[in-house]
Amino acid sequence: MSNNDQHLRKRFKDRSTSPQSPFGQEEKEKTKVEKPYPSDYMLWVFVLMIIVFLGVIIVEKQLPKGLKVAEEHRYKNRFVAERAYDHLKKLTALGPRVTGSHVNEIEAVNLLKTEIGEIMKNSKSHHVIELDVQTVDGSFALQFLDGMTNTYSGLQNVVVKIGSRINSPHSLLINCHFDSVPDSPGGSDDGAGCAVMLEMLRVISQSEKTLKHNIIFLFNGGEENFLPASHGFITQHKWAKEIRAFINLEACGAGGREVLFQAGPNHPWLLETYSEEVPYPYASSLAQEIFQSGVIPGDTDYRIFRDFGNLSGLDFAWSSNGYVYHTKFDSIDQIPLGSLQRTGDNILSLALGMAQGHQLSDVENYKAGNLVFFDFLGAFVIRWPMMVSDIINTLSVIFSVYSVLRNVKEHSNVISKRQYYTRVLKAMGAIVMTWVLAVLTAVLIAIMLNVLDRKMAWYGKPVWVFFLYMVPTALVAIAVIFAHAKYTHKDIDVWPWTIFQIYYDAYLLHFTLLLGLGTLLRIRSSFIPLLWVVFATAGNVIRSIFLKRQRGKKWLFLHIGVMGLPFVQSFYLFVCALYLFIPIMGRAGAGNNSEVLIAVMVSFLIALRISFAVPLILIVRDVQKIFRILLGIFLLSIGMLLLTTAGFPYSGEPGALAPQRFMLCHVQRTMHDNSGDAPKTSSGYWVIDMDINSPYSVHRYVPEMYVANPVDEDCKKYLFCGLPYLVPVMSMIWKTHFISAPPPNLEKQVTANITRYKIDVGERITIKLDGPVQTSVMFSPVPGVQLRNWSLPSEPLVSATPWNGRDNYFVFYGVGIKHVPLNLAMDFVVPKGHQGPIVDLAVGGQYFFGSSKVSTKQFQEFLNKFPSWTAITSWSASYESWVL
């Protein structure tokens, strides 16, 4: 007997061979010599993780077969994807459909009226179908990005109501928008949504079943003008008051699966209907909390129906292939029949389930409550009310703590209960240190890649996140835990199972704390730590009851089996998050370091997901082999990134599009001083940097970029940097460049007739603004002066981003089929004795179509120099400012 063994027997009262001991003397002698498992076992666990990762990707890409017109006779009352595809083909053939353009206001509206007319003509007689084309004016405050006031005139909506002779006073609204951003055919955003709705209307109109309640199809013509058309509909249309719930169809990608990413508020019956009716679910309350947090730079008509219509509904969007979103590549070629079939089957089933249900006629009775919801690998939706969630979460916390206390007793033959508690707390500290060090390591790698100019390799090839951040995270995680265990538990190093259990329980308690905190804060995405807690607790209980003495392969298979389901589900959510966030980094603005953002996100999420695999390092032999392999993979990948072109971030290949985005504006600027005389004028190309590689990535193709100057000083002198921002996005898009060039030729110059006169509280300034169909007014009162009110029907909204410490306001004005000038009167409270100017004011005009869009040969030649792996949005604009 060794001195070490004698020492341990004295210290722990020689309990190692007691009846309660999980280890006999023979096993104790064996564990002194070597750990139970060879290192290959842990390597196979990592391989299994990679297989799961790849399997989840395959599952995520699965789509149903798209039905063809030739075979529809075999599928009565089914959505036919090819018909929707034909609608989409006609719509995208019109080209970009910018609000206010002839294409959008005349051609697209006429196309929709024609297609709907054909459906109405062939409908069954027991259906009652009405068509209305609405033209609307209005104004509303929109807390989108930095906040703005959206004013609009002459926008159009094509509205269809299908019902029956029951003449129900209750309706379901389904919404899409047929306009698009400049330079984009709008295939997915949102032509596909409108094509799906047209085919849904046809299927319903041909059905033998009578609708219990009406369905209103809203084809709105102004979503890309920041949601005004839906606002005009829900606040002014004759059918708006009968709407009880809504479904919104949107896109932030192209093709793939539509995700239900917003639901409610309240009205849990909406989600219950969704989970019961749709054949291909894809939904998560996590997605809703992420989107509503503002992390994703975007908004949908869901906000309008919720805030101005006081309605509850469901918001769907295609999120795959976000590379083509809002670019020239958003064409019909990016949308497979399977995507249209999947969305059509889902939304048709959902709409009929809601329209034929009893809840729509008494929605107030079903209003209370919210649901926690998520789909499992797209197979089915798991959901429960918040109250049930609280009960489940609380019980899970209790049983988790119980299982840890049980382990304390199980291992009391090795260390005392007090020491077990102490060591678990220390292990919890080590785990936090693991997460921190893993993230810091990832940040250091990201900084190194920034310095070496190898940024965003993962943008076009997401596999790089595995080599650059997932592998180092795993390496740091297991290294820290191994080192901590080696130096903290020297006195019990002959008991590897006890050491493993200490760290296992520490990880479990961390997730338990997260679950408890999420429950207290009413965070619906707490279902993620819940899964880990429930299955880890189950693993604890099963091992202590059935595998007390079994430490062979059965034990390892149990560990993998128990933790497999939460691991698979978590990786499923992780993959979906990558598909969403990686393309967003191409339009997040150069001021946000996307390399660091992705490094932090990937490292932290992976560190959490491999939590219960990390302690396996404590029960395997030859751990250096594992470290060497992981380190070798990382170093080899870094070498390949630095020495080859494999890490080039962008691609213009049709089957693997990942273009770099450029927004290029040919601008004419005029700035008046406070005397109103001697205006400063300049003109050139405004380069809006959409990612951290801009504008340097195209230097050798576009030599003008060498003389592009950062826009910094002008941001201090002039409102919005003296540039015609389309919307107030200074919090995100603040890093831009300017290249001097001759002015654009603008066919309809912006005119601003400004008058000012005294009123009882100070001064009134009026402006009559005329110009292109998109114009804006920006103003900022000087310190001490306040805006009292204005002539717009909506309340003034202060921008979330001050200018030089001052409040500033942004008014966007969009025009549709009829063009009228904007008249704006502003009353300012001016302190007595105030001397000098009271406000800085600027106006901007945007030319997104027509001869003024690219009005000079020089600008066109400049645009033609950009390589094929870029996606350009170009237009001309004017900016004029005054100090009044």
Side-chain angles (χ1 to χ4, degrees):
M1 184 69 64
S2 68
N3 291 333
N4 186 46
D5 284 342
Q6 292 175 3
H7 174 73
L8 283 173
R9 284 186 177 278
K10 290 178 181 178
R11 182 170 181 176
F12 298 108
K13 300 182 180 180
D14 200 17
R15 291 177 290 182
S16 61
T17 56
S18 65
Q20 293 81 19
S21 173
F23 303 101
Q25 179 64 26
E26 181 181 348
E27 184 172 353
K28 178 183 171 184
E29 291 293 335
K30 181 180 178 182
T31 55
K32 283 196 305 178
V33 180
E34 62 180 17
K35 299 291 177 67
Y37 298 131
S39 59
D40 289 349
Y41 278 34
M42 189 162 190
L43 292 176
W44 280 112
V45 169
F46 282 130
V47 170
L48 183 60
M49 289 182 180
I50 295 172
I51 293 172
V52 168
F53 190 68
L54 296 175
V56 166
I57 292 174
I58 293 172
V59 168
E60 202 276 339
K61 291 183 177 295
Q62 293 302 303
L63 295 172
K65 174 191 173 185
L67 296 185
K68 303 287 186 68
V69 174
E71 57 187 351
E72 67 176 326
H73 63 279
R74 291 185 288 166
Y75 303 98
K76 191 176 181 181
N77 295 326
R78 282 288 304 275
F79 183 97
V80 180
E82 191 176 34
R83 288 189 184 276
Y85 189 87
D86 290 340
H87 290 310
L88 181 58
K89 189 175 182 179
K90 293 175 184 177
L91 190 59
T92 55
L94 299 177
R97 303 174 298 282
V98 180
T99 303
S101 67
H102 182 273
V103 175
N104 192 69
E105 307 305 328
I106 303 299
E107 296 180 33
V109 170
N110 287 340
L111 173 63
L112 289 170
K113 288 165 61 178
T114 300
E115 298 297 308
I116 292 166
E118 284 295 312
I119 293 171
M120 293 173 65
K121 184 171 67 175
N122 297 311
S123 68
K124 300 291 185 181
S125 59
H126 58 278
H127 296 293
V128 178
I129 308 179
E130 299 175 72
L131 170 64
D132 181 56
V133 179
Q134 178 195 29
T135 303
V136 288
D137 310 330
S139 179
F140 62 101
L142 180 62
Q143 292 180 332
F144 170 70
L145 297 175
D146 296 349
M148 61 186 284
T149 299
N150 195 330
T151 303
Y152 56 94
S153 174
L155 298 191
Q156 296 187 99
N157 291 312
V158 179
V159 194
V160 187
K161 179 165 76 169
I162 181 169
S164 66
R165 307 198 188 283
I166 294 173
N167 198 24
S168 171
H170 312 290
S171 295
L172 167 70
L173 174 68
I174 308 178
N175 174 71
C176 72
H177 67 88
F178 59 85
D179 66 316
S180 73
V181 295
D183 293 324
S184 174
S188 63
D189 186 21
D190 186 26
C194 293
V196 165
M197 283 171 50
L198 286 170
E199 173 60 6
M200 286 175 58
L201 177 62
R202 185 199 67 83
V203 174
I204 295 170
S205 72
Q206 292 294 310
S207 173
E208 299 294 342
K209 293 183 179 179
T210 299
L211 285 175
K212 183 177 180 179
H213 302 298
N214 313 310
I215 300 177
I216 295 173
F217 292 86
L218 170 59
F219 301 86
N220 90 64
E223 194 271 351
E224 298 296 359
N225 261 27
F226 316 107
L227 320 179
S230 57
H231 178 267
F233 171 81
I234 205 63
T235 58
Q236 301 174 43
H237 198 273
K238 59 184 178 181
W239 295 332
K241 296 300 181 183
E242 65 186 61
I243 296 170
R244 305 293 177 256
F246 68 89
I247 297 171
N248 186 51
L249 300 182
E250 256 295 353
C252 59
R257 305 180 299 161
E258 84 290 343
V259 58
L260 170 57
F261 68 102
Q262 293 192 95
N266 301 312
H267 293 271
W269 67 273
L270 296 170
L271 273 168
E272 290 169 355
T273 305
Y274 174 82
S275 61
E276 291 167 0
E277 299 291 342
V278 302
Y280 315 108
Y282 180 28
S284 173
S285 47
L286 170 64
Q288 177 162 348
E289 289 177 332
I290 290 174
F291 187 83
Q292 294 182 350
S293 70
V295 172
I296 298 175
D299 216 333
T300 74
D301 290 314
Y302 175 96
R303 173 193 286 272
I304 301 298
F305 301 136
R306 180 195 66 193
D307 295 352
F308 296 95
N310 195 29
L311 295 170
S312 290
L314 303 172
D315 205 4
F316 295 88
W318 286 278
S319 59
S320 298
N321 195 17
Y323 299 107
V324 305
Y325 172 73
H326 280 192
T327 73
K328 64 182 180 182
F329 298 113
D330 184 14
S331 67
I332 193 170
D333 299 330
Q334 303 300 322
I335 304 169
L337 281 182
S339 289
L340 293 173
Q341 189 67 51
R342 176 195 163 89
T343 301
D345 286 345
N346 278 348
I347 305 303
L348 179 60
S349 299
L350 174 62
L352 290 175
M354 293 171 70
Q356 302 288 36
H358 61 280
Q359 296 96 335
L360 211 61
S361 59
D362 191 16
V363 290
E364 288 302 310
N365 221 16
Y366 301 92
K367 180 179 180 179
N370 277 309
L371 291 181
V372 173
F373 62 96
F374 59 95
D375 71 289
F376 179 73
L377 300 181
F380 53 86
V381 174
I382 299 171
R383 69 191 192 279
W384 50 70
M386 284 298 290
M387 185 175 71
V388 174
S389 175
D390 291 341
I391 295 173
I392 293 173
N393 292 353
T394 302
L395 290 176
S396 299
V397 168
I398 292 171
F399 282 115
S400 169
V401 173
Y402 163 76
S403 74
V404 173
L405 295 176
R406 186 185 180 97
N407 285 333
V408 173
K409 183 178 180 181
E410 290 291 332
H411 292 270
S412 60
N413 63 295
V414 179
I415 54 175
S416 67
K417 292 181 179 180
R418 181 176 179 180
Q419 284 189 335
Y420 195 97
Y421 295 140
T422 301
R423 291 173 190 248
V424 167
L425 288 175
K426 289 181 178 179
M428 292 178 70
I431 290 167
V432 172
M433 182 170 60
T434 295
W435 294 339
V436 171
L437 289 176
V439 171
L440 287 177
T441 300
V443 170
L444 289 174
I445 294 170
I447 292 172
M448 177 191 72
L449 296 177
N450 273 271
V451 172
L452 296 174
D453 196 23
R454 289 295 187 273
K455 303 180 288 291
M456 295 179 64
W458 37 262
Y459 180 69
K461 303 179 184 70
V463 69
W464 277 108
V465 300
F466 172 80
F467 297 107
L468 296 178
Y469 299 119
M470 293 170 67
V471 169
T473 296
L475 179 59
V476 169
I478 62 176
V480 171
I481 293 301
F482 178 78
H484 184 267
K486 183 176 181 180
Y487 293 103
T488 304
H489 307 295
K490 288 180 179 179
D491 54 336
I492 57 170
D493 61 351
V494 296
W495 303 107
W497 297 109
T498 297
I499 299 173
F500 170 88
Q501 195 63 56
I502 287 171
Y503 287 91
Y504 182 97
D505 287 345
Y507 276 113
L508 174 56
L509 289 176
H510 269 301
F511 281 102
T512 303
L513 287 173
L514 288 175
L515 177 59
L517 185 62
T519 304
L520 291 174
L521 297 178
R522 316 295 291 167
I523 298 174
R524 283 188 279 173
S525 53
S526 296
F527 71 84
I528 299 173
L530 172 67
L531 291 175
W532 289 107
V533 169
V534 167
F535 283 89
T537 300
N540 261 343
V541 174
I542 293 171
R543 276 193 298 271
S544 65
I545 294 176
F546 300 105
L547 295 178
K548 278 187 177 183
R549 298 178 179 275
Q550 176 57 254
R551 304 299 188 185
K553 292 181 180 179
K554 288 184 179 179
W555 184 96
L556 185 60
F557 288 150
L558 171 68
H559 182 74
I560 294 172
V562 168
M563 302 313 303
L565 191 144
F567 180 80
V568 169
Q569 181 65 14
S570 292
F571 254 74
Y572 174 66
L573 295 173
F574 175 70
V575 168
C576 295
L578 281 184
Y579 276 128
L580 177 65
F581 278 101
I582 284 180
I584 285 176
M585 293 298 102
R587 60 182 189 269
N592 300 303
N593 194 303
S594 56
E595 191 70 46
V596 173
L597 292 176
I598 287 292
V600 170
M601 184 188 84
V602 170
S603 179
F604 181 68
L605 293 180
I606 288 298
L608 291 177
R609 276 151 181 76
I610 64 172
S611 292
F612 290 95
V614 170
L616 292 175
I617 196 68
L618 305 174
I619 52 176
V620 299
R621 304 185 292 273
D622 191 15
V623 295
Q624 289 77 15
K625 179 179 179 180
I626 297 170
F627 294 147
R628 287 194 300 269
I629 291 174
L630 292 177
L631 183 60
I633 291 173
F634 172 67
L635 293 177
L636 184 63
S637 62
I638 287 291
M640 183 176 293
L641 184 65
L642 296 178
L643 301 176
T644 72
T645 60
F648 184 71
Y650 310 110
S651 170
E653 295 297 320
L657 286 169
Q660 183 179 23
R661 296 165 182 262
F662 283 91
M663 299 186 75
L664 303 169
C665 178
H666 193 182
V667 60
Q668 176 178 298
R669 308 197 297 169
T670 305
M671 289 84 125
H672 302 269
D673 59 22
N674 57 5
S675 69
D677 300 324
K680 174 186 175 182
T681 62
S682 65
S683 61
Y685 308 143
W686 180 28
V687 182
I688 304 171
D689 303 310
M690 300 302 290
D691 70 28
I692 53 175
N693 287 321
S694 176
Y696 317 109
S697 54
V698 294
H699 273 167
R700 66 193 187 100
Y701 302 95
V702 190
E704 289 89 340
M705 290 299 186
Y706 283 109
V707 295
N709 294 312
V711 179
D712 294 322
E713 288 302 314
D714 283 351
C715 294
K716 301 173 185 176
K717 298 177 183 177
Y718 308 111
L719 268 173
F720 287 89
C721 304
L723 292 165
Y725 275 83
L726 182 63
V727 284
V729 289
M730 295 295 291
S731 59
M732 185 177 75
I733 308 293
W734 53 268
K735 189 174 182 180
T736 65
H737 288 75
F738 196 80
I739 301 170
S740 295
N745 297 320
L746 305 177
E747 60 182 344
K748 186 175 177 61
Q749 295 281 349
V750 175
T751 60
N753 296 321
I754 302 171
T755 59
R756 57 188 299 185
Y757 50 91
K758 300 289 184 181
I759 56 174
D760 55 349
V761 296
E763 285 197 49
R764 174 173 294 168
I765 295 177
T766 65
I767 178 170
K768 183 177 181 180
L769 181 66
D770 197 8
V773 297
Q774 281 98 7
T775 53
S776 56
V777 178
M778 302 148 274
F779 63 93
S780 176
V782 303
V785 176
Q786 292 183 327
L787 176 68
R788 184 186 187 187
N789 53 48
W790 61 13
S791 58
L792 297 177
S794 56
E795 290 293 320
L797 178 65
V798 179
S799 173
T801 304
W803 175 58
N804 292 338
R806 295 158 52 177
D807 287 346
N808 70 83
Y809 300 82
F810 194 103
V811 179
F812 175 83
Y813 182 50
V815 176
I817 195 169
K818 64 176 184 179
H819 193 113
V820 296
L822 172 66
N823 290 289
L824 175 62
M826 301 162 285
D827 291 348
F828 294 97
V829 178
V830 182
K832 290 183 179 180
H834 178 84
Q835 298 292 323
I838 64 169
V839 65
D840 285 72
L841 183 145
V843 300
Q846 314 287 339
Y847 301 82
F848 286 119
F849 54 86
S851 60
S852 292
K853 182 181 186 295
V854 180
S855 62
T856 66
K857 181 180 179 182
Q858 185 175 357
F859 188 36
Q860 185 62 64
E861 290 174 348
F862 173 70
L863 298 174
N864 291 340
K865 294 177 183 178
F866 283 81
S868 60
W869 42 264
T870 60
I872 310 297
T873 298
S874 61
W875 74 103
S876 296
S878 66
Y879 174 96
E880 189 170 7
S881 65
W882 298 264
V883 181
L884 301 173

